[in-house]
Amino acid sequence: MSTESTLIKQHVIDPEICIRCNTCEAICPVGAITHDSLNYVVKADICNSCMDCISPCPTGSIDNWRMMPKAKAYSIEEQLKWDELPAELNDAELAAAGGESGDAATTQDSSADAASAASVVSTATASAFNSAQFGATIPPWSAAHAYTNLYGPKAAEKTITATVTGNLRVTEVGKEYDTHHIVLDFGNLPFPVLEGQSIGILPPGEDAKGKPHHARQYSIASPRNGERPGHNNLSLTIKRVLEDHDGQPVRGVGSNYMCDLNVGDKVQVIGPFGASFLMPNHPKSNIVMICTGTGSAPMRAMTEWRRRLRASGKFEGGKLMLFFGARTPAELPYFGPLNNLPKDFIDTEFAFSREEGKTKRYVQDALRDRAADVAALLKDGNTCFYVCGLKSMEEGVVMALRDIAQNAGLDWDAIGGTLKKEGRLHLETY
Ligand SMILES: Cc1cc2nc3c(=O)[nH]c(=O)nc-3n(C[C@H](O)[C@H](O)[C@H](O)COP(=O)(O)OP(=O)(O)OC[C@H]3O[C@@H](n4cnc5c(N)ncnc54)[C@H](O)[C@@H]3O)c2cc1C
Ligand code: SF4
Ligand code: SF4
């Protein structure tokens, strides 16, 4: 098989919806992303399809792929000039361009170049466990329609101004972890949102290079009809970042700006973002929520919407299961209110990894402890799974789901594929 005819799945960025927030370039572990004043682009010869940049991208513009003959991959120079993504090549066009389609195994490159080989479409790559491959990019069939990017660089209105109507600390006072429940009101301006969506906050001021700070993304923690039902407001759950990922002291720009806001302050917002991490709305649909820390925000939104529907007496929901992890109970946002929810409404399992005198327990351990219930839900086509929180949890959680399925005699490859295809397994880790 000649290198000419090797197909690659080339990673490309949609220039029409990218908000140039730099998140992907900052995150990419191999430096595959670069930009000029116009576009953010991916270097085909360096990207190894690790998927690290996918969930953090606030617009989804990074999650685009094009089958290309490796030798004819779009160059950086070409991509930097794009105003829109090129159309996907069909089989005939691919063949004409010097590539072959069909059986992926026949397109495998024999090159020893690890980086290139990883992005070659090949059955050989299937052996490594890649949790991101199971994450759906479409919503479940009964999700409501999500409005996205109503405000932002590409929208008619660049930002919307929100007024802070609440700022409450929701973790124990006096500890290093400091998480706030912040309520933003949009007055009479339209900002329709759904549970599972997020918004971008534009912190005032400039970065070290004298450029305006890029937007910081936060999940919406309230249901579609408002933090206060019938009001045009929403809530966020924001953890103050005071240490970087290496434990070094730092003062996170966006999180500290938000946590220090006073009632009455104005905030510049863009969004909403997200059109796939959305809850099912059909009767008897089950929701399994697996989260850590501020990953609880979308879970709070979904739970509260189901609670309001139940209170209305007009909706018959399915089972709700919540697996919620933190180092200690004191660090868990909304710990008290969650404990007060009726047991016949939501089945909650907490997992604490640093509780004094107790064995470390992570969300994936809690999942395994409830394997029989989780397996039953995996079998049920009415179940949607949502994973949100620390990036480090994602692989362990998806592996736990796989093991639970396999131990119950289920075919994980089939179930995992179906969950993705039906928009029923959603991963949002950051
Ligand atoms: C889809 C999505 C949803 C999100 N939802 C939420 C949410 O609901 N609540 C929430 O609090 N955050 C959420 N985030 C994270 C949020 O967008 C910011 O990244 C976070 O608040 C840090 O921004 P900052 O401006 O304070 O820190 P920055 O000024 O951007 O960073 C300062 C330093 O801290 C490091 N750093 C950044 N974040 C962390 C962290 N969490 N822990 C340790 N070090 C860090 C950076 O690498 C940098 O070195 C979400 C992110 C994504 C992608
Ligand atoms: S998939 Fe991984 S290697 Fe490719 S651009 Fe994204 S972070 Fe970089
Ligand atoms: S993270 Fe997404 S929106 Fe931000 S620069 Fe990258 S592709 Fe664009």
Side-chain angles (χ1 to χ4, degrees):
M1 180 65 49
S2 73
T3 307
E4 248 325 280
S5 62
T6 300
L7 286 185
I8 61 163
K9 206 170 167 188
Q10 185 174 359
H11 191 183
V12 291
I13 293 175
D14 185 342
E16 288 192 284
I17 54 169
C18 168
I19 56 170
R20 281 77 177 162
C21 67
N22 200 52
T23 306
C24 51
E25 191 171 326
I27 277 172
C28 178
V30 292
I33 295 178
T34 186
H35 70 277
D36 65 3
S37 55
L38 196 63
N39 281 349
Y40 272 74
V41 297
V42 186
K43 299 174 193 166
D45 54 335
I46 297 184
C47 172
N48 62 14
S49 308
C50 72
M51 310 298 270
D52 280 5
C53 58
I54 304 299
S55 356
C57 170
T59 57
S61 42
I62 192 109
D63 196 8
N64 282 286
W65 308 83
R66 290 288 182 272
M67 282 302 223
M68 289 298 291
K70 187 177 175 190
K72 302 228 168 110
Y74 297 113
S75 69
I76 291 297
E77 291 71 27
E78 273 175 281
Q79 296 178 57
L80 286 171
K81 290 189 198 128
W82 284 349
D83 294 322
E84 58 184 36
L85 280 178
E88 301 204 32
L89 300 186
N90 61 32
D91 283 359
E93 289 165 332
L94 273 174
E100 289 170 16
S101 59
D103 182 2
T106 65
T107 68
Q108 189 183 339
D109 189 8
S110 58
S111 159
D113 175 348
S116 301
S119 64
V120 169
V121 180
S122 154
T123 48
T125 56
S127 56
F129 189 78
N130 172 11
S131 55
Q133 72 181 291
F134 297 106
T137 51
I138 49 169
W141 70 266
S142 60
H145 171 78
Y147 290 91
T148 57
N149 294 294
L150 295 178
Y151 302 87
K154 288 274 168 183
E157 297 289 336
K158 304 300 170 215
T159 66
I160 179 172
T161 304
T163 306
V164 179
T165 54
N167 184 352
L168 180 74
R169 187 172 177 154
V170 285
T171 46
E172 212 171 88
V173 179
K175 305 276 183 191
E176 76 272 20
Y177 37 83
D178 180 3
T179 303
H180 286 235
H181 180 75
I182 297 165
V183 183
L184 300 180
D185 191 282
F186 296 93
N188 287 329
L189 292 173
F191 201 76
V193 297
L194 288 173
E195 309 78 13
Q197 286 193 288
S198 59
I199 65 169
I201 297 291
L202 296 169
E206 294 174 340
D207 63 18
K209 291 182 188 152
K211 291 191 176 163
H213 290 299
H214 66 80
R216 264 58 171 187
Q217 201 180 353
Y218 296 102
S219 302
I220 295 162
S222 49
R224 60 192 78 183
N225 66 341
E227 169 66 13
R228 196 171 156 205
H231 286 69
N232 190 17
N233 61 12
L234 57 79
S235 62
L236 306 171
T237 312
I238 302 188
K239 183 183 171 210
R240 198 188 277 282
V241 170
L242 295 171
E243 271 184 2
D244 67 14
H245 294 292
D246 301 323
Q248 297 304 310
V250 73
R251 204 170 164 79
V253 172
S255 57
N256 282 279
Y257 162 66
M258 293 300 291
C259 289
D260 289 337
L261 286 169
N262 294 310
V263 169
D265 285 348
K266 306 287 183 197
V267 179
Q268 297 307 310
V269 175
I270 59 172
F273 299 121
S276 63
F277 195 106
L278 303 174
M279 64 188 287
N281 290 309
H282 61 285
K284 300 206 173 150
S285 48
N286 311 306
I287 306 181
V288 178
M289 299 167 275
I290 305 154
C291 63
T292 54
T294 54
S296 59
M299 313 314 185
R300 178 186 184 271
M302 292 185 195
T303 304
E304 179 58 13
W305 180 238
R306 279 289 167 101
R307 197 191 65 77
R308 287 179 193 177
L309 286 176
R310 180 167 126 132
S312 76
K314 292 182 188 148
F315 181 80
E316 194 189 347
K319 192 169 169 68
L320 297 191
M321 272 194 106
L322 172 67
F323 295 88
F324 197 170
R327 287 185 297 189
T328 64
E331 271 186 57
L332 266 187
Y334 313 117
F335 186 53
L338 260 177
N339 265 333
N340 293 335
L341 290 171
K343 301 286 173 252
D344 67 339
F345 167 63
I346 185 166
D347 186 348
T348 302
E349 281 281 337
F350 295 112
F352 301 114
S353 58
R354 298 223 195 130
E355 241 189 327
E356 224 173 287
K358 296 202 177 155
T359 317
K360 283 185 182 194
R361 192 162 176 258
Y362 297 97
V363 276
Q364 50 268 43
D365 301 322
L367 273 169
R368 288 175 199 277
D369 289 348
R370 297 292 304 274
D373 298 298
V374 175
L377 288 165
L378 275 168
K379 278 184 208 163
D380 186 340
N382 290 309
T383 308
C384 296
F385 294 82
Y386 299 86
V387 181
C388 188
L390 291 178
K391 192 164 189 46
S392 53
M393 77 190 274
E394 186 180 300
E395 187 175 301
V397 165
V398 179
M399 283 175 112
L401 290 176
R402 178 199 63 183
D403 294 348
I404 289 167
Q406 285 172 346
N407 291 339
L410 305 170
D411 176 353
W412 168 251
D413 285 338
I415 289 192
T418 303
L419 288 172
K420 184 182 172 87
K421 200 166 123 198
E422 296 182 356
R424 295 195 291 112
L425 171 57
H426 294 273
L427 310 172
E428 187 166 275
T429 56
Y430 45 87

